[in-house]
Amino acid sequence: MGILKGMRVVEGSAFVAIPLAGMTLAQMGADVIRFDRLEGGLDATRWPVTKDGRSLFWAGLNKGKRSIAIDMKHPRGREIITEIICAPGDDAGLFLTNLAVRGFLDYPTLSARRADLVMVSLLGDRHGRPAVDYTVNPSVGFPDATGPEGSTDPVAHVLPAWDCIAGNMAVTGLLAAERHRLRTSRGQLVEIALKDVAAAMLGNLGIIGEVAVNGVDRPKGGNALYGAYGQDFLCADGERVMVIGLTERQWHNLVKVTGTAEAMAALEAELGVSLAEEGQRWLHRARISAVLAPWFAARRVAEFADAFEAAGVTWSTFRSFARALREDPDFAPGEAALFTDLDQPGIGRYPVPGSPFGFSAAPREAPAPAPALGQHTEEILADVAGLPEGEIARLFDAGIVRGG
Amino acid sequence: MGILKGMRVVEGSAFVAIPLAGMTLAQMGADVIRFDRLEGGLDATRWPVTKDGRSLFWAGLNKGKRSIAIDMKHPRGREIITEIICAPGDDAGLFLTNLAVRGFLDYPTLSARRADLVMVSLLGDRHGRPAVDYTVNPSVGFPDATGPEGSTDPVAHVLPAWDCIAGNMAVTGLLAAERHRLRTSRGQLVEIALKDVAAAMLGNLGIIGEVAVNGVDRPKGGNALYGAYGQDFLCADGERVMVIGLTERQWHNLVKVTGTAEAMAALEAELGVSLAEEGQRWLHRARISAVLAPWFAARRVAEFADAFEAAGVTWSTFRSFARALREDPDFAPGEAALFTDLDQPGIGRYPVPGSPFGFSAAPREAPAPAPALGQHTEEILADVAGLPEGEIARLFDAGIVRGG
């Protein structure tokens, strides 16, 4: 049904980026096989966990994959993993990994088995040093620029943003290399380093130019939208809202709906600037916010929400994860919704997201649960590795593989 | 030279996500044509800007593209954009956009012109409401979970993470749909909503399970690594470092290199737990940090950096953007480096990143500058839209298009 139906991808991974990449492909219809050690990968018990120690994290990032559990210290186990990665098929021979691949799992070894292998390898840094989202982020400077104006305490992000970005880039790298293979019959190794992803983004967003050309090290700006206007305000009901005046139209809508056009005009006259210019809104954001703050402080969200929607204001409330899940219809399960109430074996029934992609040529599929560790060991050994029944039984008996 | 050589993509965009998507494709060798209004897109002057008002942001996110500037209020301008998007070519007919596409730019209209068009459209939310990174993020809950333990002030991220993720997803959507077209000759519309990207990630990372299954609304945890061990420490020289004990090996390395094995064993005995279990490290992180804090407080980074590297500790320093650029060799331009000192017309010479992808089947290309607005108008009208010289001259004379 999915847009990638027929593609087979093998994944040797742990944590966020590569599991996310494999899941993204699985949710587009690819057959994604994740292999793990007999005891499960490094992320088998990653928090959050249920009271029984089942990983909600693992369940979240491995939806719709098939799982094989195998002893990779055993030569026969390694041989079988190699066979699975290099198994024939025009739409197979695709391998995603963030494991430290040496020996049997490195590209020269694997490509000697299947010359047209496409292997995507995510590294910490380009030089082979370990790096994770939590170290890459402070090393490029974001925590120093995050948090209240005037504070000197660095604030790290909670979303593993670099992992999420790199995981999606791994998908891109795989699809681009597979496209190239289709035209040339040549496979290749695609390498991406988490640190490079972050360093490049610093350049892409203009931050390196700001430092190198303007000589400015961006200070903390609180929750303000950098470079134009966007600010958070406390309302009469204790709620906090974010309002945006990034484009001229957004700014106009915001001023109009709050009835502050006269006050803004007076401010423009006093300052001798036009607030229609985004840079002036940024430079004078404190004065603008002083005009808007009493407006919000005097009103409950319910008093202005409908007017904001009608006026096309770009805005949102701040809320915790639990409140978002409870209050926002976008998290509600239902037909044609992003979320489905799903039974995840060992965990229970809760709202689980499908793919955010809407492909008009393929129906939006409901999410599939994550497999139990080793749930598909037997069928993968038979169908993909092509092993006869007797040998599969012997592998189970010898403890080289395990089922789910 | 690039892995996508021969592909042509047309981009109608502004701000981060779709420009990033187009640039990612351009840096893999695709011919990416960005079209803009005569006065430039909504992001033409997006901050940061130079003292002359040139946008470092725009220069960062449009590298290696071709630019055409055209009056889209004029019927002939609209007609020409349609021709460019729908121009023939097996590897063309690919359109990326985050503009509010109605009328001449919507999928039904464009696909009537070229039936196998692949169009990727990024929306704010699925229901057509405006949403930007700055509003999506508070609406799903991250600012409430970010910042110092015990604080109640929400802290928004500075990296537009959702835009960066969605931009990379747009690339994936385009490549997946183009792959499907190659097999079926059918084009399609691919829709992605920024809000859905964030909502799905909340589920993927286990946060929705934590709320729905465990009934826990994750509190702020400062700069700690959630669910295992990772913490920031102040050193004797005033530097701050992040150290990671996510995996058992990382934890072992950290304890060993800081010589705290005995103290940790005493802590384990006192608490009656094994700190080899990641969850125990999380639950008792304050006690662990109390052991490690004096060690860091007594030492300058230079005293332990080499030992940390030799021991394979996963760690980094905190530093500002400017310090990262100044001190980190990964930002230094050079052969086979990620960065190149590049002349960006109108701005000057500064370090600019190439693509973080390393494709073994294609050489790593140096980054190309961003075009001036309209720099390629004439050649695009001739080569892509196929207009005769005389008509091109008339379009310039009539002010329907402009050059760079």
Side-chain angles (χ1 to χ4, degrees), chain B residues 138-149:
Chain B
S139 79
V140 301
F142 281 97
D144 267 43
T146 304
E149 273 190 63

Side-chain angles (χ1 to χ4, degrees), chain A residues 121-131 136 191-197 199-200, chain B residues 328-340 353-358 364:
Chain A
S121 175
L122 179 69
L123 312 167
D125 82 2
R126 208 156 10 114
H127 320 288
R129 282 192 295 264
V136 162
E191 289 186 310
I192 316 167
L194 195 66
K195 173 84 178 290
D196 281 354
V197 168
Chain B
D328 191 326
D330 282 350
F331 287 94
E335 222 167 323
L338 181 62
F339 286 84
T340 303
S355 168
F357 285 108
R364 193 181 276 267

